[in-house]
Amino acid sequence: MGTKATKAYDGFTAEERAAMKEHAQELKKQSRRGSRADKAAEAERDVLAKIAEMPESDRVMAERVHAIVKANAPALAPKLWYGMPAYALDGKVVCFFQSADKFKARYATLGFNDTAELDEGAMWATAFALTGVTPEVEERITALVKKAAG
């Protein structure tokens, strides 16, 4: 006979469920027909619209990250990923901006997936907390996205 667990599984948070629903809508939208240029322009409009919806502190940082990526890693294509601004290379998300407000976190996050290949020895960072975008932070983001874009 099995024993009953004393703690019930709470499942995903409302914010996580909302992000998964947004991702499903993003995939559906991407599968629609249209030219590659039209899809790219629509994806960038979607990213800019999502950034515009953010609270001011997150919006300012997301706008700077977007500008830095566009200027320094033009090979990375803007797209939404789980409702967050993201940048992809050959369709695979390389980096993303996660609003602090989205998951009620203390700080926004600039994250990198394994396709970014930021490898440094046996251990390296794949996400960075952002509380502001200073000139020094801009330099670091620029270096990271350049490396990630290959």
Side-chain angles (χ1 to χ4, degrees):
M1 301 254 168
T3 61
K4 267 192 169 177
T6 58
K7 183 178 177 191
Y9 174 70
D10 293 326
F12 295 106
T13 65
E15 293 81 11
E16 290 168 332
R17 285 191 302 277
M20 288 184 281
K21 285 180 183 177
E22 283 183 281
H23 186 58
Q25 290 171 344
E26 293 158 9
L27 292 173
K28 186 176 180 181
K29 193 174 192 179
Q30 288 173 10
S31 69
R32 292 187 187 137
R33 293 183 186 203
S35 74
R36 181 172 278 154
D38 289 344
K39 285 183 179 182
E42 184 176 10
E44 180 152 17
R45 283 192 303 271
D46 291 346
V47 165
L48 293 173
K50 186 58 72 173
I51 291 171
E53 293 173 4
M54 294 178 184
E56 184 179 359
S57 60
D58 287 337
R59 186 180 67 247
V60 168
M61 289 186 289
E63 288 171 344
R64 287 304 309 135
V65 168
H66 182 77
I68 292 166
V69 173
K70 293 288 290 177
N72 295 286
L76 298 180
K79 67 184 279 180
L80 289 179
W81 188 59
Y82 292 96
M84 296 176 286
Y87 304 89
L89 185 62
D90 299 327
K92 294 181 181 177
V93 172
V94 173
C95 63
F96 58 90
F97 178 87
Q98 182 176 304
S99 165
D101 185 66
K102 184 168 183 78
F103 293 103
K104 297 174 179 41
R106 193 174 114 210
Y107 44 77
T109 305
L110 177 62
F112 292 85
N113 287 336
D114 59 339
T115 54
E117 296 186 20
L118 298 180
D119 308 31
E120 289 180 8
M123 183 175 148
W124 57 90
T126 60
F128 300 86
L130 288 175
T131 58
V133 182
T134 65
E136 294 81 18
V137 171
E138 284 191 21
E139 285 180 29
R140 181 86 189 271
I141 294 171
T142 297
L144 289 167
V145 298
K146 283 181 176 180
K147 183 174 182 181

